[in-house]
Amino acid sequence: MKRFPTKQLCRAGIIAALYVALTIPLGSFAFGSIGFQIRPAEALTVLPLFYVETIPALYVGCLIANLVTGTLWDVGLGSLASLVAAALTFATGKLLKNSGWSPVVGGIFPVLVNAFVIPLVLIWSGAAYAGYWFMFASLLVTQAVWVYALGIPLYYAVRALRAKGVSAFCDNRTGEPLEAASKN
């Protein structure tokens, strides 16, 4: 098992805490019980494009936030959907080397995985008020809004901070811009 340095562990804890803090105050609006999810924390799902530690961080953050709902299906499957989507997003970042297309392509996974899985969670937990495909379409749209409308600006902000060498956003020890560190 790979061990994370302290900076990565701290970053993972902060991301998990942010996910919870951006989800729980919204109550039932964040859990799709009204047909769509108001969950701005989904913008954080673009962060696996940069950091491997966000994979478990998003899973843990979603798990803790889903504990509020009290449904076994949401805690299990909803959190697992976040884990799978984060792993696929991370793989996209590695494959595309964080080009300009990375947030667009990487954002597809949190949108699609959640759109396919969360309607099942709502149906099995008895919270569904409509059919699977209606809820799929509703979650596809709302998930895309959070991932793309908030996630893409977040992606470019983190990318700019990494390029400037802001230590908290860089994986190198020197804190110098990543391009300069890679030349040395």
Side-chain angles (χ1 to χ4, degrees):
M1 181 172 159
K2 182 181 175 185
R3 297 180 66 162
F4 290 125
T6 305
K7 183 189 279 188
Q8 288 179 302
L9 284 173
C10 291
R11 192 168 28 222
I14 290 168
I15 290 167
L18 273 172
Y19 193 98
V20 172
L22 290 170
T23 302
I24 289 179
L26 294 171
S28 64
F29 294 116
F31 297 102
S33 59
I34 57 173
F36 58 93
Q37 287 187 334
I38 299 174
R39 200 179 266 214
E42 289 298 312
L44 300 172
T45 60
V46 300
L47 294 177
L49 293 168
F50 297 110
Y51 312 111
V52 69
E53 65 270 19
T54 57
I55 297 171
L58 290 171
Y59 171 73
V60 169
C62 186
L63 182 74
I64 293 169
N66 287 343
L67 283 171
V68 171
T69 66
T71 64
L72 181 64
W73 292 109
D74 201 16
V75 172
L77 285 178
S79 303
L80 187 60
S82 292
L83 179 67
V84 169
L88 292 170
T89 302
F90 176 76
T92 300
K94 287 292 190 190
L95 183 67
L96 297 179
K97 308 250 189 274
N98 280 324
S99 68
W101 287 100
S102 292
V104 175
V105 177
I108 289 171
F109 299 110
V111 171
L112 286 180
V113 171
N114 282 301
F116 276 110
V117 173
I118 301 306
L120 292 174
V121 168
L122 293 173
I123 289 169
W124 291 339
S125 67
Y129 70 92
Y132 176 84
W133 292 109
F134 173 79
M135 291 178 4
F136 168 84
S138 173
L139 285 165
L140 186 74
V141 169
T142 58
Q143 190 74 7
V145 166
W146 298 117
V147 171
Y148 289 112
L150 292 178
I152 286 182
L154 175 63
Y155 170 87
Y156 285 108
V158 169
R159 187 171 151 181
L161 290 168
R162 287 172 60 90
K164 288 181 180 177
V166 177
S167 178
F169 295 92
C170 295
D171 293 330
N172 57 7
R173 293 176 186 250
T174 62
E176 62 184 296
L178 292 177
E179 293 80 23
S182 64
K183 291 178 185 174
N184 294 335

